[in-house]
Amino acid sequence: MNQSTLEMLFRKHQPRLLAEARASLYDDAEAQDVVSELFAELLKRQPEVEAGRELAYLCESVRNRCRNVIARKTLTERVTRLYALEQQTENEEEETERLDRLQAFIRTGLTEAQQRVFQLRFGEERKYREIAAELGISEVAVYKHLVAALARIRNHFNT
């Protein structure tokens, strides 16, 4: 991909790529950084991408970069960013109270399987394949448990 091709791809697909990044990161600034950094790297490397597969390549690259961003965050930062109430507060007691409410909901509002998968993924920072092996389930099942757990948590705290 040369510079003019990359510029055209950026103009054409930037909104879609930003939406993809926002869906994973829940943060506009981080999403914009991910997309911008991707194109900056592509400009340097100028990889060969099969014609007609550019969008798929770009979307997968954005998803991989988002996974890397999420993996670098601590559990508290991830939970706070995903589930914090609308107003962020500097008051440590209120922050502790919110995390306590989250933990209480996880204990009472999730199934046992969802709780276990959630704990292994976010509490122990295990990889999907490690969780699957430990629980004797497929990686797809791990993913489904996490998606369902996160949806329940979001619904509970956004109402």
Side-chain angles (χ1 to χ4, degrees):
M1 277 190 251
N2 60 29
Q3 184 172 350
S4 63
T5 302
L6 281 171
E7 288 174 11
M8 184 271 306
L9 290 172
F10 181 81
R11 282 192 298 278
K12 183 176 181 182
H13 299 300
Q14 190 236 14
R16 165 87 187 268
L17 298 173
L18 277 175
E20 184 87 32
R22 280 187 196 110
S24 295
L25 300 174
Y26 303 100
D27 185 290
D28 287 339
E30 282 184 337
Q32 290 175 355
D33 288 346
V34 163
V35 173
S36 297
E37 289 169 4
L38 169 63
F39 278 93
E41 182 181 322
L42 292 176
L43 189 58
K44 277 191 246 178
R45 288 190 308 122
Q46 296 189 358
E48 293 296 322
V49 178
E50 184 180 332
R53 302 272 310 139
E54 295 91 352
L55 179 58
Y57 177 84
L58 293 171
C59 285
E60 186 63 29
S61 296
V62 164
R63 284 190 291 272
N64 288 337
R65 285 177 172 273
C66 289
R67 285 185 200 112
N68 291 341
V69 167
I70 292 168
R72 285 190 293 265
K73 292 180 182 181
T74 65
L75 173 63
T76 302
E77 183 180 1
R78 281 185 261 170
V79 170
T80 300
R81 185 175 299 278
L82 287 173
Y83 313 113
L85 300 173
E86 287 293 320
Q87 299 176 354
Q88 293 216 346
T89 180
E90 293 181 23
N91 187 331
E92 221 174 274
E93 287 178 21
E94 288 181 30
E95 186 69 21
T96 300
E97 183 182 321
R98 287 194 315 215
L99 288 174
D100 288 345
R101 287 196 324 257
L102 172 63
Q103 290 172 342
F105 178 76
I106 289 170
R107 285 190 302 273
T108 61
L110 301 181
T111 67
E112 287 184 34
Q114 290 169 345
Q115 288 177 38
R116 186 68 180 132
V117 170
F118 190 89
Q119 172 61 30
L120 289 170
R121 179 68 184 122
F122 296 111
E124 298 180 21
E125 297 185 5
R126 300 263 192 95
K127 295 179 181 178
Y128 283 37
R129 129 186 47 161
E130 294 170 341
I131 298 168
E134 181 169 326
L135 299 180
I137 59 177
S138 70
E139 288 182 49
V140 171
V142 170
Y143 173 79
K144 287 181 179 181
H145 284 302
L146 284 175
V147 167
L150 292 172
R152 280 184 164 182
I153 291 168
R154 268 191 224 97
N155 288 336
H156 179 76
F157 287 99
N158 287 333
T159 56

